[in-house]
């Protein structure tokens, strides 16, 4: 059920605008709201053994929160931060300016990215599930790595956000939203560990390990939850709707279905592999 106070919040700019290009992000909001992704990412980084002089790709660097931590672990090394969102790359470049040439930013699609030098490792968090073609992705990562180089990553996995997406999709069927979602296709690709391990092996990786991990994520209150799902989880739903007031009504309706428990049923897929 829509509430006038939350529609007002959107209309008065308390929430920032929906990005029009499907692969663009509200990078400032993501930087502010991405504590869950940051916490998961720190644990993924712990799985990446580094001596400090390596060259590492951050695949899908986003606004650069984890890129900065990765760079701290590479005092004599180099980070290549790759992302296809111009907003994200510009935000990361601005925030990490003090690292100078220790970080190179590249705004491009990971499936077509070619590294000038064979890298020691590829690190990636909260990104692979936004790509439909994991065979192409893993082939591209394999090409970037030197022999013996490591891939250490995490993304949304099978079952990720199943409960929340069911609420969001139920609201898509209601008026006045239904006509905007007639041919709506999920933008995400949540894979399981077995299929992913098989793909990595087909791409030429060895020492492959993949597993799923439940990561239920509670939010402190409704405004925080609302702003988070607007920025991250419902980006593609909201981009279908043609004007702000309708987007605000859609958000209201989804939030009302979830209330009073503001928790997201995240499931993460951990991946690690070595280029033979
Ligand atoms: C949720 S953010 C994750 C950012 C950061 N790694 C983190 O964990 O906070 C996902 C990022 O993946 C990027 N991305 C999605 N698909 C991509 C692709 N095909 N090529 C490059 N970047 C992509 C998005 O632009 C976005 O910045």
């Amino acid at each position: 059920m829509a509430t006038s106070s939350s529609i007002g919040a959107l209309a008065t700019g308390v929430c920032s605008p929906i990005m029009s290009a499907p692969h663009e992000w509200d990078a400032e909001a993501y930087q502010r709201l991405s504590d869950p992704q940051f916490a998961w990412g720190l644990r993924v980084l712990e799985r990446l053994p580094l001596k400090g002089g390596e060259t590492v790709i951050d695949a899908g660097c986003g606004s650069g929160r984890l890129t900065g931590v990765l760079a701290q672990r590479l005092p004599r090394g180099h980070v290549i931060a790759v992302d296809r969102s111009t907003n994200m790359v510009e935000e990361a470049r601005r925030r990490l300016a003090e690292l100078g040439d220790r970080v190179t930013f590249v705004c491009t699609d990971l499936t077509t990215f070619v590294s000038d030098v064979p890298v020691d490792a590829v690190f990636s968090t909260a990104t692979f599930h936004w790509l439909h073609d994991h065979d192409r992705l893993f082939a591209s990562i394999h090409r970037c790595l030197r022999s013996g180089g490591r891939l250490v990553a995490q993304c949304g996995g099978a079952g990720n956000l199943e409960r929340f997406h069911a609420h969001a999709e139920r609201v898509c069927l209601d008026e006045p939203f239904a006509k905007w979602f007639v041919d709506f296709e999920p933008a995400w690709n949540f894979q399981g560990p077995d299929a992913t391990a098989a793909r990595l092996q087909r791409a030429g990786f060895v020492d492959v390990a993949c597993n799923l991990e439940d990561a239920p994520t509670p939010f402190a209150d409704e405004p925080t939850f609302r702003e988070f799902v607007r920025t991250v989880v419902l980006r593609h739903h909201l981009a279908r709707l043609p004007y702000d007031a309708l987007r605000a009504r859609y958000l209201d309706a989804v939030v009302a279905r979830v209330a009073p428990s503001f928790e997201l049923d995240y499931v993460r897929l951990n991946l690690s592999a070595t280029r033979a």
Side-chain angles (χ1 to χ4, degrees), residues 23 25 30 37 58 60-62 66 82-85 88 108-110 125-127 130-131:
H23 60 263
W25 286 71
Y30 184 77
Q37 286 83 354
D58 184 356
C61 64
L66 289 156
V82 182
D83 202 290
R84 74 173 167 180
S85 156
M88 287 295 213
T108 195
D109 194 299
L110 285 168
T125 54
T127 294
W130 293 113
L131 284 91

Side-chain angles (χ1 to χ4, degrees), residues 12 33 50-51 66 94 98 118 126 146 153 163-164 177-178 189 202-203 208 211 226 230 240 250 255 269 271 274:
T12 54
L33 295 162
L50 291 172
K51 294 196 173 97
L66 289 156
R94 197 170 59 74
E98 80 274 9
R146 66 163 169 80
R163 200 174 58 228
F164 179 76
F177 312 115
N189 177 13
R202 277 202 304 276
V208 171
N211 73 286
R226 183 190 168 87
R230 182 194 70 78
R240 301 284 292 204
Y250 179 80
V255 170
L269 173 66
L271 301 76
T274 302

Side-chain angles (χ1 to χ4, degrees), residues 39-176:
W40 300 330
L42 291 177
R43 289 184 48 218
V44 178
L45 201 47
E46 283 170 15
R47 293 199 275 117
L48 179 63
L50 291 172
K51 294 196 173 97
E54 294 91 338
T55 295
V56 180
I57 293 174
D58 184 356
C61 64
S63 61
R65 282 180 84 175
L66 289 156
T67 319
V69 182
L70 174 61
Q72 281 168 18
R73 291 196 50 202
L74 295 167
R76 303 172 307 286
H78 189 75
V79 179
I80 304 171
V82 182
D83 202 290
R84 74 173 167 180
S85 156
T86 311
N87 293 348
M88 287 295 213
V89 170
E90 287 316 311
E91 182 79 9
R93 200 195 296 276
R94 197 170 59 74
R95 291 188 170 276
L96 301 178
E98 80 274 9
L99 294 173
D101 60 9
R102 284 174 53 206
V103 184
T104 303
F105 294 95
V106 185
C107 189
T108 195
D109 194 299
L110 285 168
T111 55
T112 53
F113 175 65
V114 181
S115 177
D116 292 340
V117 286
V119 302
D120 300 296
V122 173
F123 165 76
S124 182
T125 54
T127 294
F128 290 175
H129 56 270
W130 293 113
L131 284 91
H132 283 290
D133 192 339
H134 282 183
D135 288 317
R136 278 189 73 198
L137 171 66
F138 295 154
S140 170
I141 290 172
H142 189 267
R143 274 195 303 276
C144 291
L145 284 164
R146 66 163 169 80
S147 175
R150 299 276 296 150
L151 166 64
V152 173
Q154 186 188 74
C155 60
N160 194 43
L161 293 172
E162 222 162 67
R163 200 174 58 228
F164 179 76
H165 280 150
H167 285 306
E169 271 134 44
R170 182 63 195 77
V171 176
C172 294
L173 301 175
D174 292 342
E175 294 307 335

Side-chain angles (χ1 to χ4, degrees), residues 206-229:
V206 296
D207 298 332
V208 171
C210 299
N211 73 286
L212 286 177
E213 176 184 334
D214 285 337
T217 302
F219 290 79
D221 49 41
E222 178 182 321
T224 314
F225 178 79
R226 183 190 168 87
E227 178 69 338
F228 184 91
V229 297

Side-chain angles (χ1 to χ4, degrees), residues 1-52:
M1 185 66 72
T3 66
S4 56
S5 61
S6 45
I7 291 174
L10 269 190
T12 54
V14 171
C15 297
S16 21
I18 301 303
M19 298 294 115
S20 51
H23 60 263
E24 267 312 337
W25 286 71
D26 182 340
E28 179 279 323
Y30 184 77
Q31 169 71 18
R32 194 163 29 84
L33 295 162
S34 56
D35 286 356
Q37 286 83 354
F38 186 63
W40 300 330
L42 291 177
R43 289 184 48 218
V44 178
L45 201 47
E46 283 170 15
R47 293 199 275 117
L48 179 63
L50 291 172
K51 294 196 173 97

